[in-house]
Amino acid sequence: MDLHPSRRRLLARGAALAGSALATPHIARAQAMSKLRFALDWAKQGPNAYVTMGHEKGFFREVGIDATVDRGFGSGRVPTDIAAGAYDMGQADINPVIKFMAENPNSGLIVTGIWGDRSLLCAVTRADGGVRAPKDLEGKTLAAPESDAGRQLFPAFARTAGVDASKVNWLTVSPELREPMLVQRRADGVTGAITSVGMSLKALGLDFPQQRIMYYRDHGLDLLGTCYMTTRAFAERNPEVVRNAQRALFRSLIYANRNREESIAMLKKVEPLTDVAIETERQAISMEQQVISDHVMANGLSNPDPVRFQKAIEAVESAYGMAPKVKVADIYTDSFLPPLAERRL
């Protein structure tokens, strides 16, 4: 049966509009642009320069997202800010995120992607000081912000390394004062990701040979690294925004790994005070020690081994005296990931 003439005209008009939209994709994308507030884990530096670069190159706009990217103030703060609605999505060290989610099961947070396959958390002391092994930290003073992931996960490290955490003293400082406290010998050590503490100490004149670095992973604490997160409510309301944001983020990360000099140049453009040499090295450490691993090269980004993932969750719970109750499926979903082909380094 033939369609009613008015119905035929309506369909023809719709087809014409669709054709027009296809012919002018940039206009269509501009009309459909979705806002996204994204929080970084720390100041805009080499390890997260890929986000700045992707933003500047238009990778987010190409998938219909008008994103704002703000610096962070520690991985321990990011989940709090997102749960409170200050940001829609963000990135942070996954381990304080696990802690926050275990302590706040009704927060609505969900991890949607993981780009750090290995943890960079560590405690750093002076090589010319009296700390030669983790056990020597007993009776010493460590400086760090309360929101620092290294500080929040120190109890887990202490447990696996045989350190009595109750005998370690803490000096709470703002992020910018952490490394100067060690350089000035006002603290015996600091905690954090090596990309932050190690490179900041180097910038202050305490180069790597003068540092004693105790990676948590070298003392029995096999943790994952940086993740993306949002709230279940935001993801349910905006599934395509979350999916497309991660498409842009993974594309940016992979591009930055392949074009490191360009990504740091873009960071310098946005942050004129960037020390190119320091941030180039900081980015290289992040890529080669956190992102690139045998597992990632074989399986792609954000394809974690579920058994290892579960053990990492239990290590965090154990560190804080929590009964094991959180499962991988409770905190992580891969339903918003781009195809595996777009997650290959």
Side-chain angles (χ1 to χ4, degrees):
M1 179 182 293
D2 193 14
L3 293 170
H4 190 278
S6 61
R7 174 66 171 161
R8 289 201 305 272
R9 285 195 297 273
L10 183 61
L11 290 174
R13 182 182 180 190
L17 289 172
S20 175
L22 289 172
T24 56
H26 295 291
I27 294 175
R29 282 200 296 270
Q31 292 173 340
M33 203 70 68
S34 299
K35 299 283 188 180
L36 180 74
R37 299 167 301 166
F38 189 86
L40 297 172
D41 47 351
W42 199 247
K44 292 183 178 181
Q45 297 178 332
N48 57 41
Y50 78 97
V51 185
T52 297
M53 184 214 65
H55 185 264
E56 291 298 305
K57 289 183 73 69
F59 290 175
F60 290 89
R61 298 188 70 84
E62 287 180 21
V63 292
I65 294 177
D66 179 11
T68 57
V69 179
D70 290 346
R71 67 151 293 169
F73 294 89
S75 288
R77 178 167 157 179
V78 178
T80 302
D81 286 347
I82 292 177
Y87 291 95
D88 304 312
M89 293 184 68
Q91 72 170 41
D93 185 291
I94 195 172
N95 301 294
V97 175
I98 293 170
K99 173 181 178 288
F100 179 86
M101 295 170 78
E103 292 176 335
N104 302 275
N106 298 320
S107 65
L109 282 184
I110 187 71
V111 173
T112 54
I114 301 171
W115 63 262
D117 189 55
R118 294 185 293 176
S119 174
L120 296 178
L121 296 182
C122 61
V124 181
T125 62
R126 298 180 65 105
D128 61 1
V131 177
R132 310 193 69 82
K135 187 70 174 174
D136 297 330
L137 292 171
E138 295 178 1
K140 300 298 191 296
T141 298
L142 300 180
E146 288 186 347
S147 61
D148 169 56
R151 177 171 178 171
Q152 292 196 357
L153 270 295
F154 185 85
F157 162 67
R159 180 166 297 189
T160 58
V163 176
D164 185 344
S166 69
K167 296 181 180 179
V168 177
N169 304 306
W170 288 95
L171 187 61
T172 299
V173 296
S174 59
E176 64 272 14
L177 291 180
R178 175 177 53 185
E179 291 79 17
M181 297 301 287
L182 180 59
V183 173
Q184 297 167 11
R185 300 182 186 270
R186 296 167 66 187
D188 300 300
V190 294
T191 60
I194 191 60
T195 45
S196 293
V197 295
M199 291 305 301
S200 294
L201 287 169
K202 178 176 180 176
L204 292 172
L206 197 69
D207 206 348
F208 282 106
Q210 299 168 284
Q211 302 173 29
R212 178 160 286 111
I213 301 167
M214 292 171 280
Y215 283 105
Y216 291 3
R217 69 188 188 212
D218 290 340
H219 297 276
L221 195 59
D222 184 20
L223 304 173
L224 294 169
T226 310
C227 71
Y228 300 129
M229 81 200 81
T230 185
T231 61
R232 293 180 187 274
F234 183 83
E236 289 170 0
R237 291 195 309 267
N238 308 277
E240 286 307 308
V241 174
V242 176
R243 187 171 290 111
N244 286 330
Q246 293 200 136
R247 172 169 277 120
L249 286 162
F250 281 111
R251 178 187 177 190
S252 300
L253 181 67
I254 293 167
Y255 185 93
N257 181 50
R258 296 173 180 173
N259 301 273
R260 298 183 186 181
E261 185 175 338
E262 180 184 350
S263 69
I264 298 300
M266 201 73 75
L267 176 65
K268 176 76 171 178
K269 174 185 174 184
V270 173
E271 297 288 333
L273 296 180
T274 294
D275 184 318
V276 170
I278 287 290
E279 298 312 324
T280 296
E281 187 173 358
R282 200 191 306 265
Q283 180 190 59
I285 293 172
S286 177
M287 290 293 186
E288 291 157 23
Q289 298 244 4
Q290 178 183 202
V291 181
I292 301 170
S293 69
D294 291 341
H295 178 83
V296 165
M297 297 310 294
N299 300 281
L301 293 161
S302 200
N303 197 1
D305 174 76
V307 174
R308 179 188 173 209
F309 198 165
Q310 186 61 49
K311 288 182 178 178
I313 292 173
E314 292 169 2
V316 174
E317 290 176 317
S318 176
Y320 295 98
M322 304 174 186
K325 60 180 180 179
V326 178
K327 303 299 181 187
V328 172
D330 296 332
I331 67 169
Y332 174 68
T333 177
D334 61 4
S335 59
F336 300 100
L337 290 175
L340 183 59
E342 296 180 32
R343 291 181 281 126
R344 293 284 190 186
L345 286 176

